[in-house]
C-alpha cells in the first residue's frame, strides 16, 4: 500500500455579512410568508437571513486568524437603509429584497474589505457587488414589486460567518464581529 504524504489542509467556507436584528428579521419573515404562496420557492430560514458584504469561499483554517486581524483594521461608518423592493434573478432563480438606494457607506465597507484582503493575497472574482438579501431559492415565478411598508435597517456591526454544510442544509456560524463608527 502506498502511503500518501500529501497533507490535506482543512478549509472552511466563509463570508463577511451584515445580519438583521430581531425587528428586521420579523419583518423579512412577514414578507416571506406573504410571498410564499405566489413564488413557491424554497424559503430562507430566519436564522439564515443576511446581506453578504464579501464572499470568500473556502479559506484554510490557518488563515482565519489573519482574516480577523485584517477585519480589525477596517474603519467604516454606521449606516441605515430602507429595504423597499422585491426582485427576481432568472439566472439563479433567487427572489431577493433590496433597497432602491443603498447608502455609500455600505459600498465603502465592502470595498475596504476587498482592498485590505487583496493586499494580503486573498483573491476574488471581479463581479460587481450587488447587495441583496435572498428570500427564496429555486423560485420559478417572476416577482417584482415595491413594499408597501419598507423595512428600516440600522447597521452598526458586521460579521465573519462560516457556512458549514450539515445533513440538514447549511449552518451559519459567526466567527467574529466588528463595530462601525
Ligand atoms: P446553499 O448554497 O447550501 O443553498 P447558502 O447559499 O446559504 O446555502 P453559501 O453557498 O455558503 O450558503 O453562501 C453564503 C453566502 O455567500 C450567500 O449569501 C451566497 O449567496 C453567497 N455566495 C455564495 N457563493 C458565492 C459566490 N461565488 N460569489 C458571491 N457570493 C456567493
Ligand atoms: Mg449557496
Amino acid at each position: 500500500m502506498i502511503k500518501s504524504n500529501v497533507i490535506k489542509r482543512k478549509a472552511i467556507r466563509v463570508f463577511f455579512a451584515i445580519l438583521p436584528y430581531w425587528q428586521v428579521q420579523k419583518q423579512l419573515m412577514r414578507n416571506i410568508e406573504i410571498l410564499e404562496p405566489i413564488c413557491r420557492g424554497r424559503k430562507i430560514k430566519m436564522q439564515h437571513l443576511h446581506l453578504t458584504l464579501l464572499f470568500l469561499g473556502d479559506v484554510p483554517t490557518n488563515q482565519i486568524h489573519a482574516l480577523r486581524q485584517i477585519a480589525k483594521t477596517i474603519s467604516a461608518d454606521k449606516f441605515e437603509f430602507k429595504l423597499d423592493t422585491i426582485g427576481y434573478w432568472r439566472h439563479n432563480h433567487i427572489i431577493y429584497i433590496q433597497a432602491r438606494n443603498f447608502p455609500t457607506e455600505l459600498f465603502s465597507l465592502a470595498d475596504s474589505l476587498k482592498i485590505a484582503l487583496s493586499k494580503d493575497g486573498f483573491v476574488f472574482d471581479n463581479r460587481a457587488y450587488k447587495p441583496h438579501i435572498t428570500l427564496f431559492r429555486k423560485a420559478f415565478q417572476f416577482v417584482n414589486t415595491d413594499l408597501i411598508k419598507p423595512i428600516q435597517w440600522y447597521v452598526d456591526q458586521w460579521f465573519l460567518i462560516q457556512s458549514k454544510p450539515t445533513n440538514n442544509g447549511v449552518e451559519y456560524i459567526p466567527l467574529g464581529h466588528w463595530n462601525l463608527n
Side-chain angles (χ1 to χ4, degrees), residues 13-15 42 44 48 50-52 54-55 94 125 127 132 134 137 163-164 169-170 172:
R13 189 172 168 94
V14 293
F15 61 102
R42 179 162 64 79
I44 301 299
H48 287 156
H50 67 278
L51 187 153
T52 299
L54 185 64
F55 177 78
I94 274 176
D125 59 32
R127 276 185 287 176
H132 67 280
T134 301
R137 295 187 193 282
S163 168
K164 189 179 178 185
V170 291
Y172 288 170

Side-chain angles (χ1 to χ4, degrees), residues 13-27:
R13 189 172 168 94
V14 293
F15 61 102
F16 287 99
I18 56 175
L19 300 179
Y21 43 91
W22 169 236
Q23 289 93 329
V24 175
Q25 279 182 327
K26 223 168 45 180
Q27 293 175 77

Side-chain angles (χ1 to χ4, degrees), residues 101-166:
N101 295 304
F102 276 116
T104 52
E105 290 90 341
L106 169 67
F107 294 96
S108 300
L109 174 58
D111 273 354
S112 308
L113 255 175
K114 201 169 180 178
I115 292 166
L117 291 166
S118 301
K119 273 190 194 145
D120 214 70
F122 288 90
V123 282
F124 307 96
D125 59 32
N126 268 328
R127 276 185 287 176
Y129 178 49
K130 287 190 197 149
H132 67 280
I133 296 132
T134 301
L135 300 181
F136 291 88
R137 295 187 193 282
K138 298 193 171 133
F140 289 86
Q141 181 64 47
F142 182 87
V143 179
N144 195 307
T145 183
D146 289 342
L147 257 64
I148 298 164
K149 257 181 76 181
I151 303 170
Q152 184 80 33
W153 185 348
Y154 300 94
V155 184
D156 61 3
Q157 58 180 195
W158 50 285
F159 294 80
L160 173 63
I161 298 167
Q162 177 185 1
S163 168
K164 189 179 178 185
T166 74

Side-chain angles (χ1 to χ4, degrees), residues 69-120:
Q69 292 303 110
I70 296 164
K72 226 164 63 174
T73 67
I74 306 282
S75 172
D77 293 329
K78 284 180 191 162
F79 54 90
E80 61 184 271
F81 52 82
K82 276 190 176 73
L83 294 170
D84 52 15
T85 313
I86 290 175
Y88 175 63
W89 281 322
R90 211 177 286 272
H91 69 280
N92 55 8
H93 309 290
I94 274 176
I95 289 174
Y96 60 87
I97 188 165
Q98 66 174 13
R100 260 190 302 267
N101 295 304
F102 276 116
T104 52
E105 290 90 341
L106 169 67
F107 294 96
S108 300
L109 174 58
D111 273 354
S112 308
L113 255 175
K114 201 169 180 178
I115 292 166
L117 291 166
S118 301
K119 273 190 194 145
D120 214 70

